[in-house]
Amino acid sequence: MDRAQKEKVVEELGQIFESSGVVVVAHYAGLTVAEMQDLRARARDAGGSVRVAKNRLAKIALDGKPCASIADLLTGMTVLTYSEDPVAAAKVAEDFAKENQKFEILGGAMGENALDRAGVTAVSKMPSREELIASIVGCIGAPASNIAGAIGAPASNIASILSTIEEKAEAA
């Protein structure tokens, strides 16, 4: 790899470290090509990516980035699993590690926060961005659907609802 290619790799890694919500560092010694392709496919399906890079170039790219604390983890055969969603890459890495003993999670970073092995596990158990949005929409939509149901109900139902509200107001 010549100097221009190395500079390009450092720039790409720098973008990854800046824009990712979470970066998980793991050892992958002994994984077959098929297993690595499986990991990449899982990450892609979850909205993340997998990158193998020279540790020396990754450490250069980490310089001055919020997640610079993971530089100590970059030893041996390391692979980076990352995603914009602060949970997706951790879930993918954790699930893959459960099924494959050769994939050993070392730690990672979530923004400026360094994560040890237990931290990655804790992040992987958090709800993803989509799950949070769905639960918030469900909470917001429930009262609206109740009102819509009441408006669409026959007049006798509306009258009984109003009398119940009136009774509660008098009791208070």
Side-chain angles (χ1 to χ4, degrees):
M1 193 184 304
D2 67 3
R3 184 176 179 86
Q5 289 172 319
K6 288 179 183 177
E7 288 175 357
K8 184 178 177 187
V9 168
V10 168
E11 185 178 321
E12 289 172 1
L13 289 170
Q15 290 291 330
I16 289 168
F17 294 137
E18 276 188 28
S19 65
S20 297
V22 68
V23 178
V24 178
V25 181
H27 279 159
Y28 69 99
L31 285 181
T32 64
V33 172
E35 291 168 335
M36 197 63 151
Q37 288 175 335
D38 181 37
L39 174 62
R40 290 179 194 278
R42 290 182 190 197
R44 190 175 33 257
D45 291 345
S49 296
V50 175
R51 178 75 189 252
V52 176
K54 289 187 173 283
N55 292 331
R56 189 170 47 81
L57 297 179
K59 287 178 182 179
I60 292 169
L62 275 170
D63 189 38
K65 301 295 184 283
C67 57
S69 58
I70 66 171
D72 296 339
L73 302 174
L74 298 173
T75 58
M77 295 178 65
T78 55
V79 62
L80 305 172
T81 308
Y82 57 94
S83 62
E84 285 185 35
D85 182 341
V87 179
K91 281 187 183 203
V92 168
E94 197 63 43
D95 290 344
F96 191 76
K98 286 178 187 172
E99 297 171 16
N100 199 317
Q101 300 300 319
K102 297 172 192 166
F103 187 79
E104 179 188 350
I105 297 174
L106 303 174
M110 188 175 188
E112 294 180 7
N113 302 320
L115 303 171
D116 59 359
R117 177 69 179 93
V120 173
T121 302
V123 169
S124 74
K125 292 180 181 175
M126 293 170 56
S128 69
R129 180 183 299 161
E130 287 76 24
E131 292 168 340
L132 286 174
I133 290 171
S135 66
I136 291 170
V137 168
C139 290
I140 292 171
S145 66
N146 290 344
I147 292 171
I151 291 172
S156 62
N157 287 350
I158 293 175
S160 67
I161 291 170
L162 291 175
S163 66
T164 304
I165 293 172
E166 185 178 342
E167 290 172 12
K168 285 183 181 179
E170 290 174 1

